[in-house]
Amino acid sequence: MARTGITGPPTVLEGRFGLLQAFCGDQADPDALTDRLGEHWELPGIFFKPYPCNHFTHAGIDAALRLRANGLDPTAIDDLELGAPTAVLRTIGEPAQDKARPKSGYHAAFSGPYTVAAALLGGGGLGVSHEDFTDEAAADPARLALAAKVRCVPDARCDQIFPHRFPAVLRVRLRDGTVLEERVEANRGGPDRPLSAAELAAKFHLNATRHVSPARADEITERAYELADLPNVDTLTTLLTT
């Protein structure tokens, strides 16, 4: 279309019906598009989600995985309290009865109690994976029993940090009265706690092998990491399209 001279609106970004107005309204900042252009890069600020569920649940999963790595026995848990920013509780904690017993794998991906339970009991992938969000997994009695012990509450410190980060705090009371706490202010996968090259490769492999062979997934990974030194992208695009 461009080759034949077809053009679009010159104010597609900043115009009255442009992208900025549509998505940002009066809060749009057009000058930010050209501020330090060519000097400042947004790419390092990208978050790579390690878990295939709502981003608001990730810090809770991180906290649960830390507790599990430190030897927490899920069978010794009396109750759990998941503290989060007030604004996110309507997504991951309400209504409480529905979040404790998600209706499907899709609903489980938006449940603070379920995702904490899945991580504590040992999920797949980098902590929890696609297999943890099937309808069958969401109906697992062990996960539901543990999820029923999780109360989602607002946390003042989390409110201070949100929305620049999506923090959480997980408090666990054991049957012997011991109280454990893990606070996560910067969740895994962001610029403060980036995934390693190996973790990114593992995430890609888990997703790609749902459609291609493990060998093909590994070869795509190798070519992608060599991209800066390849003479052209033909090898990579061939692997992606054939």
Side-chain angles (χ1 to χ4, degrees):
M1 293 172 68
R3 189 182 302 116
T4 57
I6 297 175
T7 63
T11 57
V12 64
L13 295 178
E14 74 277 20
R16 186 159 62 98
F17 300 109
L19 183 141
L20 295 178
Q21 181 63 32
F23 286 94
C24 304
D26 295 336
Q27 298 182 47
D29 182 10
D31 292 337
L33 296 175
T34 55
D35 179 44
R36 292 173 292 163
L37 187 64
E39 301 173 1
H40 172 75
W41 307 95
E42 294 292 341
L43 191 62
I46 288 178
F47 277 74
F48 290 88
K49 291 175 62 176
Y51 320 119
C53 47
N54 182 268
H55 207 167
F56 292 159
T57 69
H58 284 212
I61 294 171
D62 289 343
L65 291 174
R66 285 184 189 174
L67 289 167
R68 184 167 179 266
N70 289 333
L72 175 62
D73 178 4
T75 64
I77 295 173
D78 190 32
D79 67 63
L80 303 101
E81 182 179 84
L82 176 62
T86 304
V88 314
L89 291 179
R90 64 177 177 267
T91 301
I92 68 169
E94 300 170 2
Q97 65 272 18
D98 291 342
K99 297 302 179 180
R101 297 188 65 85
K103 299 175 182 177
S104 67
Y106 176 79
H107 288 92
F110 293 83
S111 166
Y114 175 86
T115 50
V116 163
L120 285 174
L121 291 173
L126 299 181
V128 292
S129 66
H130 287 290
E131 286 65 35
D132 297 299
F133 298 100
T134 63
D135 291 348
E136 292 76 18
D140 175 53
R143 296 184 181 199
L144 293 179
L146 190 54
K149 298 181 180 182
V150 181
R151 291 178 295 109
C152 297
V153 299
D155 181 80
R157 175 58 182 161
C158 290
D159 280 334
Q160 291 175 353
I161 300 172
F162 184 82
H164 303 290
R165 294 178 181 174
F166 301 155
V169 56
L170 187 59
R171 301 182 185 92
V172 183
R173 189 174 75 229
L174 305 182
R175 293 200 178 113
D176 64 5
T178 302
V179 176
L180 306 174
E181 178 178 307
E182 280 290 344
R183 183 175 289 275
V184 175
E185 296 194 348
N187 53 286
R188 185 181 176 198
D192 295 310
R193 292 180 59 202
L195 296 179
S196 67
E199 288 172 326
L200 286 171
K203 173 184 166 75
F204 173 75
H205 192 275
L206 287 165
N207 288 324
T209 51
R210 298 163 72 88
H211 300 286
V212 301
S213 70
R216 171 70 67 87
D218 288 341
E219 191 172 0
I220 292 171
T221 301
E222 291 175 12
R223 297 292 85 75
Y225 277 129
E226 296 170 352
L227 191 58
D229 299 318
L230 293 179
N232 57 60
V233 297
D234 291 351
T235 302
L236 179 59
T237 55
T238 298
L239 287 169
L240 294 171
T241 58
T242 59

